[in-house]
Amino acid sequence: MRKIIHLDMDAFYASVEQRDDKSLRGKPIVVGHDAPRGVVATASYEARTFGVHSAMSIQKAKQLCKDLIIVEPHFEKYKEVSQTIRLLMHKYTDIIEPVSLDEAFMDVTENKIGENLAVNIAKELKNEILCQTLLTSSAGVSYNKFLAKIASDWNKPNGLKVIHPSQAERFIDGLKVEKIWGVGKKTLIKMHSLGIYNGKQLREVPLLELTKNFGKMGKVFYDYARGIDNSIVESSWERKSISCEHTMEEDISDKTSVIVALYNVVLDLVSRIERSGFKGMRLTLKIKYYDFTIKTCSLTQKQILDTKDKILPLAKELMKKIPYQEKPLRLIGLGVSLEDKAVYKELELFGNN
Ligand code: DCP
Ligand code: MG
Protein backbone atom coordinates (compact mmCIF):
# COMPACT_ATOMS: atom_id res chain seq x y z
CA MET A 1 0.00 0.00 0.00
CA ARG A 2 1.20 3.48 -0.84
CA LYS A 3 1.13 6.37 1.63
CA ILE A 4 -0.11 9.60 0.13
CA ILE A 5 -0.59 13.01 1.71
CA HIS A 6 -2.64 15.79 0.18
CA LEU A 7 -1.94 19.18 1.68
CA ASP A 8 -4.08 22.25 1.06
CA MET A 9 -3.76 25.68 2.64
CA ASP A 10 -6.88 27.12 4.29
CA ALA A 11 -8.58 30.04 2.51
CA PHE A 12 -5.15 30.64 1.08
CA TYR A 13 -5.03 34.16 -0.41
CA ALA A 14 -7.42 35.51 2.21
CA SER A 15 -5.42 34.04 5.08
CA VAL A 16 -2.23 35.60 3.77
CA GLU A 17 -3.94 39.00 3.63
CA GLN A 18 -5.36 38.60 7.15
CA ARG A 19 -1.97 37.52 8.44
CA ASP A 20 -0.31 40.64 7.05
CA ASP A 21 -2.97 43.15 8.03
CA LYS A 22 -4.28 42.85 11.57
CA SER A 23 -7.31 44.98 10.78
CA LEU A 24 -8.60 42.27 8.43
CA ARG A 25 -8.53 39.47 11.01
CA GLY A 26 -11.88 38.06 12.03
CA LYS A 27 -13.57 39.99 9.24
CA PRO A 28 -15.39 38.87 6.10
CA ILE A 29 -12.93 39.55 3.29
CA VAL A 30 -12.46 38.42 -0.27
CA VAL A 31 -9.41 38.67 -2.47
CA GLY A 32 -10.16 39.97 -5.96
CA HIS A 33 -10.40 43.07 -8.09
CA ASP A 34 -13.14 45.45 -7.04
CA ALA A 35 -14.29 46.03 -10.60
CA PRO A 36 -17.62 45.51 -12.38
CA ARG A 37 -16.39 42.22 -13.78
CA GLY A 38 -14.20 41.24 -10.84
CA VAL A 39 -14.47 37.76 -9.39
CA VAL A 40 -13.76 36.35 -5.95
CA ALA A 41 -10.47 34.45 -5.92
CA THR A 42 -11.06 33.33 -2.40
CA ALA A 43 -13.18 34.26 0.57
CA SER A 44 -12.15 34.25 4.23
CA TYR A 45 -14.02 31.79 6.42
CA GLU A 46 -15.91 34.73 7.92
CA ALA A 47 -17.15 35.68 4.44
CA ARG A 48 -18.05 32.09 3.62
CA THR A 49 -20.69 32.10 6.34
CA PHE A 50 -22.58 34.58 4.14
CA GLY A 51 -22.46 32.17 1.23
CA VAL A 52 -19.60 33.98 -0.51
CA HIS A 53 -17.24 31.65 -2.37
CA SER A 54 -14.49 31.43 -5.02
CA ALA A 55 -15.40 32.27 -8.62
CA MET A 56 -18.47 34.26 -7.57
CA SER A 57 -18.68 37.77 -9.00
CA ILE A 58 -17.56 40.49 -6.61
CA GLN A 59 -20.88 42.25 -7.13
CA LYS A 60 -22.84 39.22 -6.02
CA ALA A 61 -20.54 38.78 -3.02
CA LYS A 62 -21.18 42.36 -1.96
CA GLN A 63 -24.90 41.77 -2.14
CA LEU A 64 -24.61 38.72 0.10
CA CYS A 65 -22.43 40.43 2.66
CA LYS A 66 -22.84 44.14 3.24
CA ASP A 67 -19.67 44.56 5.29
CA LEU A 68 -17.50 42.64 2.88
CA ILE A 69 -13.94 43.95 2.55
CA ILE A 70 -12.35 43.51 -0.86
CA VAL A 71 -8.59 43.15 -0.93
CA GLU A 72 -6.44 43.34 -4.04
CA PRO A 73 -4.32 40.21 -4.59
CA HIS A 74 -0.59 40.10 -3.88
CA PHE A 75 0.65 37.22 -5.97
CA GLU A 76 4.29 37.66 -5.04
CA LYS A 77 3.40 36.89 -1.44
CA TYR A 78 1.38 33.83 -2.37
CA LYS A 79 4.23 32.55 -4.49
CA GLU A 80 6.66 33.06 -1.65
CA VAL A 81 4.50 31.07 0.76
CA SER A 82 4.07 28.44 -1.91
CA GLN A 83 7.85 28.08 -2.23
CA THR A 84 8.25 27.87 1.52
CA ILE A 85 5.76 25.04 1.88
CA ARG A 86 7.29 23.24 -1.06
CA LEU A 87 10.71 23.40 0.60
CA LEU A 88 9.27 22.04 3.84
CA MET A 89 7.75 19.13 1.94
CA HIS A 90 11.11 18.25 0.42
CA LYS A 91 12.38 17.43 3.88
CA TYR A 92 10.20 14.30 3.67
CA THR A 93 10.09 13.36 0.00
CA ASP A 94 10.95 14.57 -3.49
CA ILE A 95 7.85 12.95 -4.93
CA ILE A 96 5.70 16.06 -4.77
CA GLU A 97 2.98 17.01 -7.25
CA PRO A 98 1.89 20.62 -6.90
CA VAL A 99 -1.70 21.11 -7.99
CA SER A 100 -1.78 24.85 -7.47
CA LEU A 101 0.10 27.38 -5.37
CA ASP A 102 -1.51 26.14 -2.18
CA GLU A 103 -2.05 22.48 -2.82
CA ALA A 104 0.15 19.43 -3.41
CA PHE A 105 0.27 15.67 -3.22
CA MET A 106 3.20 13.89 -1.63
CA ASP A 107 4.11 10.24 -1.85
CA VAL A 108 5.70 9.36 1.49
CA THR A 109 5.61 5.58 1.12
CA GLU A 110 9.36 5.75 1.37
CA ASN A 111 10.42 8.99 2.96
CA LYS A 112 13.63 10.73 3.84
CA ILE A 113 13.13 10.58 7.60
CA GLY A 114 12.25 6.88 7.77
CA GLU A 115 8.87 7.51 9.36
CA ASN A 116 6.44 4.66 9.07
CA LEU A 117 3.27 6.55 9.86
CA ALA A 118 2.26 9.04 7.20
CA VAL A 119 -0.01 10.77 9.68
CA ASN A 120 3.02 11.75 11.75
CA ILE A 121 4.60 13.34 8.71
CA ALA A 122 1.38 15.23 7.98
CA LYS A 123 1.23 16.50 11.57
CA GLU A 124 4.84 17.59 11.59
CA LEU A 125 4.53 19.27 8.21
CA LYS A 126 1.40 21.19 9.20
CA ASN A 127 3.18 22.35 12.29
CA GLU A 128 6.27 23.47 10.42
CA ILE A 129 4.12 25.32 7.90
CA LEU A 130 2.36 27.11 10.73
CA CYS A 131 5.65 28.07 12.40
CA GLN A 132 7.28 29.33 9.22
CA THR A 133 4.35 31.02 7.50
CA LEU A 134 1.88 31.63 10.36
CA LEU A 135 -0.79 30.01 8.20
CA THR A 136 -2.91 26.94 8.80
CA SER A 137 -3.33 24.11 6.36
CA SER A 138 -5.32 20.91 6.10
CA ALA A 139 -3.93 17.50 5.31
CA GLY A 140 -5.47 14.27 4.12
CA VAL A 141 -3.68 10.97 4.45
CA SER A 142 -4.59 7.79 2.64
CA TYR A 143 -3.34 5.10 0.28
CA ASN A 144 -4.19 6.94 -2.94
CA LYS A 145 -4.62 10.46 -4.29
CA PHE A 146 -8.38 10.32 -4.64
CA LEU A 147 -8.93 9.53 -0.97
CA ALA A 148 -6.13 11.78 0.30
CA LYS A 149 -7.70 14.71 -1.54
CA ILE A 150 -11.13 14.08 -0.09
CA ALA A 151 -9.63 13.60 3.36
CA SER A 152 -7.85 16.97 3.31
CA ASP A 153 -11.18 18.67 2.67
CA TRP A 154 -12.92 16.79 5.45
CA ASN A 155 -12.13 18.81 8.57
CA LYS A 156 -11.14 22.14 7.05
CA PRO A 157 -9.75 24.49 8.34
CA ASN A 158 -6.68 23.22 10.17
CA GLY A 159 -7.82 19.66 9.58
CA LEU A 160 -6.09 16.33 9.57
CA LYS A 161 -7.91 13.25 8.43
CA VAL A 162 -6.67 9.75 7.78
CA ILE A 163 -8.55 7.20 5.71
CA HIS A 164 -7.15 3.73 6.36
CA PRO A 165 -7.58 1.04 3.71
CA SER A 166 -9.85 -0.88 6.07
CA GLN A 167 -12.15 2.12 6.50
CA ALA A 168 -12.25 3.20 2.89
CA GLU A 169 -15.40 1.44 1.75
CA ARG A 170 -17.41 2.57 4.73
CA PHE A 171 -16.14 6.10 4.22
CA ILE A 172 -17.08 6.05 0.56
CA ASP A 173 -20.54 4.68 1.36
CA GLY A 174 -21.51 7.95 2.98
CA LEU A 175 -19.64 10.18 0.56
CA LYS A 176 -21.83 12.51 -1.47
CA VAL A 177 -21.06 12.05 -5.15
CA GLU A 178 -20.40 15.79 -5.62
CA LYS A 179 -17.30 15.32 -3.47
CA ILE A 180 -15.88 12.89 -5.99
CA TRP A 181 -13.18 14.09 -8.33
CA GLY A 182 -14.44 14.66 -11.83
CA VAL A 183 -18.07 15.05 -10.80
CA GLY A 184 -18.94 18.52 -12.06
CA LYS A 185 -22.34 20.15 -12.37
CA LYS A 186 -23.50 18.22 -15.42
CA THR A 187 -22.29 14.85 -14.17
CA LEU A 188 -23.95 15.51 -10.84
CA ILE A 189 -27.32 16.16 -12.43
CA LYS A 190 -27.00 12.97 -14.43
CA MET A 191 -25.99 10.95 -11.39
CA HIS A 192 -28.94 12.29 -9.44
CA SER A 193 -31.29 11.43 -12.30
CA LEU A 194 -29.96 7.87 -12.07
CA GLY A 195 -30.66 7.84 -8.36
CA ILE A 196 -26.99 8.01 -7.40
CA TYR A 197 -26.44 10.35 -4.47
CA ASN A 198 -23.68 8.68 -2.49
CA GLY A 199 -20.74 6.32 -2.87
CA LYS A 200 -22.72 3.30 -1.79
CA GLN A 201 -25.29 3.85 -4.52
CA LEU A 202 -22.51 4.46 -7.03
CA ARG A 203 -20.91 1.13 -6.17
CA GLU A 204 -24.17 -0.67 -6.94
CA VAL A 205 -24.20 0.53 -10.56
CA PRO A 206 -22.71 -1.96 -13.05
CA LEU A 207 -19.63 -0.85 -14.97
CA LEU A 208 -21.44 -1.06 -18.30
CA GLU A 209 -24.11 1.34 -17.18
CA LEU A 210 -21.51 3.79 -15.86
CA THR A 211 -19.53 3.80 -19.10
CA LYS A 212 -22.76 4.13 -21.08
CA ASN A 213 -23.61 7.26 -19.15
CA PHE A 214 -20.23 8.79 -18.40
CA GLY A 215 -17.93 7.53 -21.14
CA LYS A 216 -14.32 7.04 -20.06
CA MET A 217 -15.07 8.55 -16.66
CA GLY A 218 -17.46 5.67 -16.01
CA LYS A 219 -14.58 3.32 -15.25
CA VAL A 220 -12.92 5.96 -13.09
CA PHE A 221 -16.10 6.39 -11.02
CA TYR A 222 -16.46 2.62 -10.84
CA ASP A 223 -12.97 2.38 -9.34
CA TYR A 224 -13.39 5.39 -7.04
CA ALA A 225 -16.53 3.82 -5.58
CA ARG A 226 -14.31 0.88 -4.61
CA GLY A 227 -11.56 3.06 -3.19
CA ILE A 228 -9.30 2.38 -6.17
CA ASP A 229 -7.08 5.05 -7.71
CA ASN A 230 -3.76 3.94 -9.12
CA SER A 231 -2.66 7.30 -10.48
CA ILE A 232 0.80 8.19 -9.31
CA VAL A 233 2.08 11.33 -7.64
CA GLU A 234 3.86 13.08 -10.49
CA SER A 235 6.65 15.48 -9.64
CA SER A 236 6.36 18.97 -10.98
CA TRP A 237 8.73 18.53 -13.89
CA GLU A 238 6.29 16.02 -15.23
CA ARG A 239 3.51 18.59 -15.38
CA LYS A 240 0.91 17.88 -17.99
CA SER A 241 -0.21 21.28 -19.13
CA ILE A 242 0.32 24.98 -19.04
CA SER A 243 -2.38 27.50 -19.71
CA CYS A 244 -3.67 31.01 -19.23
CA GLU A 245 -6.89 32.86 -19.74
CA HIS A 246 -8.07 36.43 -20.11
CA THR A 247 -11.45 37.82 -19.17
CA MET A 248 -12.24 40.75 -21.43
CA GLU A 249 -13.22 44.19 -20.18
CA GLU A 250 -16.32 43.86 -22.32
CA ASP A 251 -17.86 40.97 -24.18
CA ILE A 252 -16.54 40.93 -27.74
CA SER A 253 -18.03 39.63 -30.96
CA ASP A 254 -16.28 41.38 -33.86
CA LYS A 255 -13.48 39.67 -35.67
CA THR A 256 -10.80 42.30 -35.09
CA SER A 257 -11.33 42.42 -31.33
CA VAL A 258 -11.35 38.65 -31.09
CA ILE A 259 -8.11 38.31 -33.08
CA VAL A 260 -6.41 40.99 -30.99
CA ALA A 261 -7.57 39.36 -27.76
CA LEU A 262 -6.48 35.95 -28.97
CA TYR A 263 -3.09 37.37 -29.93
CA ASN A 264 -2.59 38.69 -26.41
CA VAL A 265 -3.49 35.36 -24.85
CA VAL A 266 -0.99 33.66 -27.18
CA LEU A 267 1.76 36.07 -26.08
CA ASP A 268 0.94 35.40 -22.44
CA LEU A 269 0.94 31.64 -23.00
CA VAL A 270 4.26 31.74 -24.86
CA SER A 271 5.91 33.66 -22.05
CA ARG A 272 4.64 31.10 -19.54
CA ILE A 273 5.96 28.28 -21.71
CA GLU A 274 9.35 29.99 -21.93
CA ARG A 275 9.53 30.43 -18.16
CA SER A 276 8.61 26.82 -17.46
CA GLY A 277 10.32 25.05 -20.35
CA PHE A 278 7.18 23.01 -20.83
CA LYS A 279 6.99 20.83 -23.94
CA GLY A 280 3.53 20.00 -25.18
CA MET A 281 2.07 19.22 -28.56
CA ARG A 282 -1.62 19.74 -27.99
CA LEU A 283 -3.30 23.13 -28.03
CA THR A 284 -6.64 23.68 -26.32
CA LEU A 285 -8.80 26.74 -26.76
CA LYS A 286 -11.29 27.54 -24.06
CA ILE A 287 -14.06 30.03 -24.54
CA LYS A 288 -16.53 31.44 -22.09
CA TYR A 289 -19.51 33.06 -23.77
CA TYR A 290 -21.35 36.12 -22.45
CA ASP A 291 -23.84 33.77 -20.78
CA PHE A 292 -21.00 31.93 -18.94
CA THR A 293 -21.36 28.75 -20.97
CA ILE A 294 -17.99 27.22 -21.76
CA LYS A 295 -16.67 25.52 -24.85
CA THR A 296 -13.29 23.93 -25.42
CA CYS A 297 -11.68 22.50 -28.53
CA SER A 298 -8.23 21.05 -29.12
CA LEU A 299 -5.86 19.92 -31.79
CA THR A 300 -2.68 17.91 -31.61
CA GLN A 301 0.45 18.58 -33.66
CA LYS A 302 3.52 16.53 -34.43
CA GLN A 303 5.79 19.28 -33.11
CA ILE A 304 6.43 20.94 -29.77
CA LEU A 305 4.34 24.08 -29.40
CA ASP A 306 6.65 26.63 -27.83
CA THR A 307 6.68 29.78 -29.96
CA LYS A 308 4.24 32.42 -31.07
CA ASP A 309 4.75 31.47 -34.72
CA LYS A 310 3.73 27.90 -34.04
CA ILE A 311 0.85 28.62 -31.69
CA LEU A 312 -0.88 31.65 -33.21
CA PRO A 313 -2.01 30.03 -36.50
CA LEU A 314 -3.34 27.01 -34.60
CA ALA A 315 -5.16 29.23 -32.14
CA LYS A 316 -6.79 31.06 -35.06
CA GLU A 317 -7.71 27.73 -36.59
CA LEU A 318 -9.44 26.66 -33.38
CA MET A 319 -11.15 30.03 -33.08
CA LYS A 320 -12.84 29.40 -36.45
CA LYS A 321 -14.92 26.76 -34.71
CA ILE A 322 -16.35 29.35 -32.33
CA PRO A 323 -19.53 31.14 -33.41
CA TYR A 324 -18.60 34.34 -31.62
CA GLN A 325 -20.47 36.61 -33.99
CA GLU A 326 -23.73 35.19 -32.67
CA LYS A 327 -22.54 34.67 -29.10
CA PRO A 328 -20.17 37.33 -27.74
CA LEU A 329 -17.14 36.15 -25.81
CA ARG A 330 -16.39 36.94 -22.21
CA LEU A 331 -13.20 34.97 -21.80
CA ILE A 332 -10.51 33.40 -23.96
CA GLY A 333 -8.13 30.78 -22.61
CA LEU A 334 -5.38 28.76 -24.24
CA GLY A 335 -3.43 25.81 -22.95
CA VAL A 336 -0.71 23.53 -24.20
CA SER A 337 -0.69 19.99 -22.92
CA LEU A 338 0.96 16.67 -23.53
CA GLU A 339 -0.23 14.80 -26.54
CA ASP A 340 -2.41 12.16 -24.98
CA LYS A 341 -4.34 14.11 -22.42
CA ALA A 342 -5.92 17.51 -22.78
CA VAL A 343 -5.50 18.43 -19.18
CA TYR A 344 -6.75 21.95 -19.13
CA LYS A 345 -6.38 23.19 -15.63
CA GLU A 346 -8.71 25.93 -14.58
CA LEU A 347 -5.89 28.35 -14.00
CA GLU A 348 -5.86 31.38 -11.77
CA LEU A 349 -8.86 33.53 -12.52
CA PHE A 350 -6.45 36.36 -12.92
CA GLY A 351 -5.08 35.00 -16.16
CA ASN A 352 -2.85 38.03 -16.66
CA ASN A 353 -0.55 37.76 -13.72
N1 DCP B 1 -8.31 30.51 -6.46
C1 DCP B 1 -8.69 31.38 -7.47
N2 DCP B 1 -9.86 31.15 -8.15
C2 DCP B 1 -10.64 30.08 -7.86
C3 DCP B 1 -10.26 29.18 -6.86
C4 DCP B 1 -9.08 29.44 -6.16
O1 DCP B 1 -7.98 32.35 -7.74
N3 DCP B 1 -11.78 29.87 -8.54
C5 DCP B 1 -7.07 30.79 -5.70
C6 DCP B 1 -7.37 31.53 -4.44
C7 DCP B 1 -7.28 30.51 -3.35
C8 DCP B 1 -6.26 29.54 -3.91
O2 DCP B 1 -6.42 29.58 -5.33
O3 DCP B 1 -6.89 31.06 -2.13
C9 DCP B 1 -6.45 28.14 -3.40
O4 DCP B 1 -7.70 27.60 -3.78
P1 DCP B 1 -8.50 26.57 -2.89
O5 DCP B 1 -9.55 25.98 -3.75
O6 DCP B 1 -7.57 25.67 -2.17
O7 DCP B 1 -9.25 27.50 -1.87
P2 DCP B 1 -8.75 28.18 -0.56
O8 DCP B 1 -7.36 27.79 -0.18
O9 DCP B 1 -8.95 29.65 -0.73
O10 DCP B 1 -9.79 27.67 0.50
P3 DCP B 1 -9.90 26.24 1.20
O11 DCP B 1 -9.70 26.51 2.65
O12 DCP B 1 -11.28 25.78 0.90
O13 DCP B 1 -8.83 25.38 0.60
MG1 MG C 1 -6.81 25.81 -0.18
Side-chain angles (χ1 to χ4, degrees):
M1 278 293 176
R2 292 179 296 156
K3 292 169 188 166
I4 311 289
I5 297 174
H6 179 256
L7 188 113
D8 189 327
M9 302 300 289
D10 301 323
F12 184 44
Y13 296 179
S15 306
V16 172
E17 300 304 332
Q18 287 179 322
R19 175 193 71 181
D20 295 347
D21 181 349
K22 264 192 197 150
S23 72
L24 299 176
R25 293 184 200 160
K27 303 240 172 83
I29 74 159
V30 295
V31 175
H33 297 303
D34 192 0
R37 301 172 71 88
V39 277
V40 173
T42 194
S44 69
Y45 280 87
E46 295 84 355
R48 290 181 197 194
T49 61
F50 292 87
V52 176
H53 59 74
S54 295
M56 176 181 272
S57 81
I58 293 271
Q59 304 309 322
K60 172 100 190 283
K62 280 186 190 167
Q63 284 167 10
L64 289 173
C65 174
K66 275 208 315 286
D67 299 322
L68 190 68
I69 303 171
I70 296 147
V71 184
E72 287 289 316
H74 296 96
F75 289 105
E76 286 312 314
K77 283 190 193 181
Y78 314 145
K79 280 179 198 153
E80 195 187 313
V81 174
S82 186
Q83 276 166 5
T84 307
I85 62 176
R86 197 91 7 109
L87 271 178
L88 292 170
M89 289 174 177
H90 276 287
K91 178 177 154 195
Y92 304 99
T93 178
D94 291 325
I95 311 176
I96 299 169
E97 179 181 331
V99 180
S100 64
L101 284 183
D102 86 319
E103 195 186 324
F105 289 99
M106 303 162 67
D107 186 327
V108 294
T109 316
E110 278 171 27
N111 54 76
K112 296 184 188 173
I113 61 164
E115 170 61 63
N116 221 350
L117 287 173
V119 63
N120 287 346
I121 294 180
K123 263 187 217 161
E124 215 175 292
L125 177 63
K126 267 165 58 75
N127 206 11
E128 284 163 348
I129 290 175
L130 182 63
C131 289
Q132 289 226 6
T133 69
L134 304 175
L135 297 167
T136 63
S137 57
S138 297
V141 181
S142 197
Y143 59 94
N144 62 38
K145 286 163 75 178
F146 160 63
L147 289 169
K149 165 102 181 164
I150 291 175
S152 73
D153 210 34
W154 210 248
N155 304 317
K156 253 183 180 299
N158 200 13
L160 176 60
K161 164 96 183 147
V162 184
I163 303 176
H164 286 289
S166 61
Q167 309 160 333
E169 278 217 351
R170 189 140 43 89
F171 180 83
I172 292 164
D173 280 349
L175 191 69
K176 287 194 181 143
V177 285
E178 54 263 45
K179 295 269 179 195
I180 293 177
W181 250 359
V183 178
K185 271 187 207 152
K186 276 190 201 161
T187 308
L188 184 65
I189 293 170
K190 208 161 183 187
M191 285 208 176
H192 284 177
S193 74
L194 295 166
I196 311 168
Y197 290 84
N198 59 41
K200 188 168 196 280
Q201 291 163 334
L202 182 63
R203 198 180 313 122
E204 283 160 3
V205 185
L207 177 60
L208 205 67
E209 196 177 331
L210 286 176
T211 47
K212 207 176 74 196
N213 281 287
F214 306 107
K216 271 189 198 161
M217 284 307 283
K219 170 77 166 96
V220 177
F221 295 145
Y222 181 87
D223 284 343
Y224 282 174
R226 287 156 183 77
I228 299 168
D229 170 20
N230 292 322
S231 65
I232 60 165
V233 177
E234 288 176 289
S235 316
S236 54
W237 49 269
E238 295 174 291
R239 68 181 296 165
K240 292 194 192 111
S241 72
I242 190 156
S243 59
C244 64
E245 55 189 52
H246 291 185
T247 301
M248 267 71 72
E249 294 281 328
E250 281 174 357
D251 299 337
I252 51 173
S253 60
D254 68 283
K255 194 169 173 192
T256 316
S257 311
V258 170
I259 295 302
V260 170
L262 186 65
Y263 183 77
N264 285 325
V265 181
V266 170
L267 291 187
D268 193 357
L269 179 65
V270 169
S271 88
R272 281 171 196 243
I273 291 172
E274 279 167 3
R275 269 181 279 155
S276 68
F278 181 76
K279 293 183 175 60
M281 296 193 279
R282 185 178 175 93
L283 185 71
T284 299
L285 171 71
K286 170 181 161 184
I287 280 313
K288 198 185 270 174
Y289 292 108
Y290 71 101
D291 61 359
F292 285 79
T293 53
I294 291 174
K295 182 179 166 67
T296 60
C297 45
S298 305
L299 49 81
T300 303
Q301 294 290 293
K302 290 206 167 66
Q303 56 172 351
I304 307 267
L305 303 176
D306 52 0
T307 62
K308 187 189 82 184
D309 292 344
K310 287 182 194 163
I311 294 173
L312 187 60
L314 298 175
K316 286 184 177 164
E317 199 57 43
L318 287 171
M319 191 53 98
K320 284 189 189 151
K321 298 184 187 168
I322 306 293
Y324 56 80
Q325 263 132 352
E326 296 127 56
K327 287 175 86 176
L329 305 182
R330 177 186 165 82
L331 172 149
I332 298 177
L334 276 176
V336 169
S337 56
L338 295 181
E339 185 190 8
D340 52 341
K341 267 188 193 165
V343 198
Y344 189 93
K345 278 195 189 140
E346 194 81 38
L347 218 91
E348 307 99 308
L349 284 165
F350 304 94
N352 293 318
N353 68 82

